[in-house]
Amino acid sequence: MAGTEPRPEASARPRRIRIARALLVAALIAVLLPLMLLAFIAMFDWNRAKPWLATRASAALGRAVAIDGDFDVAWQWRRGDGDDAAWSPGLRLRASGVRVANADWARTPSAASFERLEVDVRALPLLWHRIDMPTVRVAGPYIDVERRADGSDNWSFESAGSGPHAWSVELGDVVFDAGEVDVRDAQRELDVHATIEPLAAPIAFGERVEGDDPSTRRDVIQRVGRAAAQRLRDAAAEREQRRAERGRPVKPPPYRFGFTAKGTLAGMELTAKGRLGGALALRRPEPFPLRADIDVGSTAIALTGTITNPASPDAIDMRLWISGRNLAQLYDILGIALPNSPPYVTVGRLAGRFSPNRSALRYEDFAARVGGSDLAGTLAYRSGEPRPTLRGDVESTLLRLRDLGAVVGAGSAEDRAARGDRTKQPAGRVLPAQPFEVEHWRAADADVHFTGKRVIRNEEQPISDVDTRIRMQDGVLTLEPLRFGMAGGRVDGRVRIDSGPHPAKGSVKLAARKLALARLFEASDGLSKSLGQVNGDIELDGAGNSIAAILGSADGSLKVVMADGEVSESTIEKAGLNVLNTFFAKLRGDPPVHIDCAAAVFTVEDGRAVADLFVFDTENARIDIEGAIDLGDEKLDLVLRPRASGLRMLTLRSPLRVAGTFEHVDVSVEKKQLLLRVGAAIGLGVAAAPAAAVVPLIAPGSDEGKQCAPLLAEVGRKGAKPQAKPRAKAATKAATKAKGARK
């Protein structure tokens, strides 16, 4: 019928047919394309794609990549095997004879080469220009790691790709096989070759097997005490318990490979052996077990623990044992400046994150034995600019001053040889002449709080309750405040050495109060029964690159005063050389003699200490001393003038001359040891300024002032011995240079 409209059902039918056909075509494409892709992957000769792939890999790394062997690609729906398998469609690339070119300045042509290389690549991330490689398996690897003195290295790759179309790379687990590694680092003077071989069978973490060398561990534990090792084990058990309570227990996988290494570090022979796991997880925080025994020169290091994800705050968790001849030798190994020391051992836990330019490590709950001294505490190390820093707290229950002598280069020839110190002390010199290693001072900053319960100078004269803050900032070493107890009194002060100028500048300021004379000389006959308290001040500033040089150029003052004390009569008689009176004093039981006042004041200029006031006054005798002590040449020239009161039989009235060097003192009569004891009793060697200078050392309102006031007033009226005229600047500089040349 004309004008009849088509029915809606008739017009909709072709549309539905077209939609159905389109859906069918889309379904066929969705099915056929993957099948065609899979068929292409399976049937294509992928060796024809090696040039293209090598070119793309070279562009991505900025370094030439070659594939000398076969190359194959396979499709996989699941990644992994067994229960750990995960549905993750992707590709598995297999290649043999893969080489990555080295930097043009490197010693070997290849930075890395692999007999076989197998890489899993997830498919979907490729759509976003992201190469996600969850697993990489390498067989027969050779890795060359090199760094030059200027800091350039061969592991920093410069990709040619950039912009929105650049590809990013993500790496997961690295599963390796037997291979070799070369490490050459000009900055650390390190040149080591390591070989990795599979174990005959996996070894559980913590299991001891035949062939393990526990000598370092055993030696350390025997010297620091088994209690220290037990504390570490208890702390580790507590950490595991906390992890288990949080539902995150950590069970390290077994060891699967053994390794050996040999080479040199800073001119010292290096050997190492140990075990390690078989897969390094770079994406997930899974522990990688490591056990090693390392010998570098005279230093032995043993470690056992795990390494996890470098981005994790607990990337390293190691138990560490170290023994060596000298702590300072750890600078070449760890890059941390430590002082000279006697032979030492230490055990502790090393934890934290170790990565270039952002390392943060803690040496926790450590115990150490340094010479005859013990140390314990926790230290934290953090890398950064302009220098890394070392902070922490260290305490000691027993510290021997003989062990501290190594810090300033002191000690006998045997002590220096034991710690590997090749510096020879100049013949006939006593003051430490070992140069400061100032270049190490600028390698790192430090801020360490040290406390010591008991410091042994000798068994009769311990120092107690040491409390100081040791800081190294931009090459400036300070001990401030420096506090300790001594002979029943207290010593407070500071020490500062600035390595910036050349030569270094040093200063010391100490104030001693209420030191008991009897306790200062408990081992001395006669003086051990003395009474009285000694006060003193030391202020010195000098320049030089050793303790001897700083003291030899020092300016400042030294002063000591004692009042209202007692000393044995025989000691006084010996000082005056009253032969028969000394004999009679012994017969009478050696009664005490009251000390009215003893004072010593020295002015120090260019290392020469001149006695402005040096007097020892008792109810029976008075001894005036004049002269000088040369700290630079280590010589002394003093004259003792005894003046006895009352009748003295067979008294040698002639002035007594004490001269010679610090090592060999000569006196005018055969009483050298007695004179030295008297010199020590009256504080020979430390004091400053004329009579008025010691007044501040006397407690106001005390009986000391009553006893010393008349003597100081008399000295003031008569006038102190004229001070030596200052030498001309040119002469002083010339003498200083001459002394430096002699040293």
Side-chain angles (χ1 to χ4, degrees), residues 73-92:
V73 178
W75 181 264
Q76 62 177 4
W77 291 102
R78 295 200 311 167
R79 177 171 50 86
D81 301 315
D83 296 336
D84 296 333
W87 289 97
S88 178
L91 304 173
R92 176 166 292 177

Side-chain angles (χ1 to χ4, degrees), residues 392-405:
D393 295 278
V394 178
E395 62 181 14
S396 173
T397 57
L398 178 63
L399 186 67
R400 296 186 180 275
L401 283 183
R402 177 178 178 180
D403 301 328
L404 286 180

Side-chain angles (χ1 to χ4, degrees), residues 529-615:
K529 298 179 181 179
S530 303
L531 299 178
Q533 292 182 339
V534 177
N535 296 334
D537 283 343
I538 300 176
E539 291 189 35
L540 294 174
D541 295 279
N545 291 327
S546 68
I547 296 297
I550 289 177
L551 293 178
S553 63
D555 297 323
S557 60
L558 307 102
K559 44 196 170 185
V560 173
V561 66
M562 184 192 74
D564 196 27
E566 289 184 354
V567 67
S568 69
E569 182 179 2
S570 64
T571 300
I572 297 298
E573 301 297 347
K574 290 173 185 177
L577 298 181
N578 302 306
V579 181
L580 292 183
N581 282 31
T582 300
F583 173 74
F584 290 135
K586 290 293 185 181
L587 291 180
R588 295 195 302 270
D590 202 8
V593 174
H594 188 267
I595 302 172
D596 293 329
C597 184
V601 179
F602 281 79
T603 295
V604 184
E605 181 181 339
D606 196 22
R608 190 168 183 267
V610 178
D612 299 325
L613 170 67
F614 205 160
V615 63

Side-chain angles (χ1 to χ4, degrees), residues 436-456:
F436 302 133
E437 296 179 340
V438 293
E439 66 277 6
H440 293 181
W441 291 18
R442 302 185 186 97
D445 292 337
D447 190 346
V448 178
H449 180 218
F450 174 80
T451 56
K453 185 176 181 181
R454 181 178 173 86
V455 180
I456 301 298

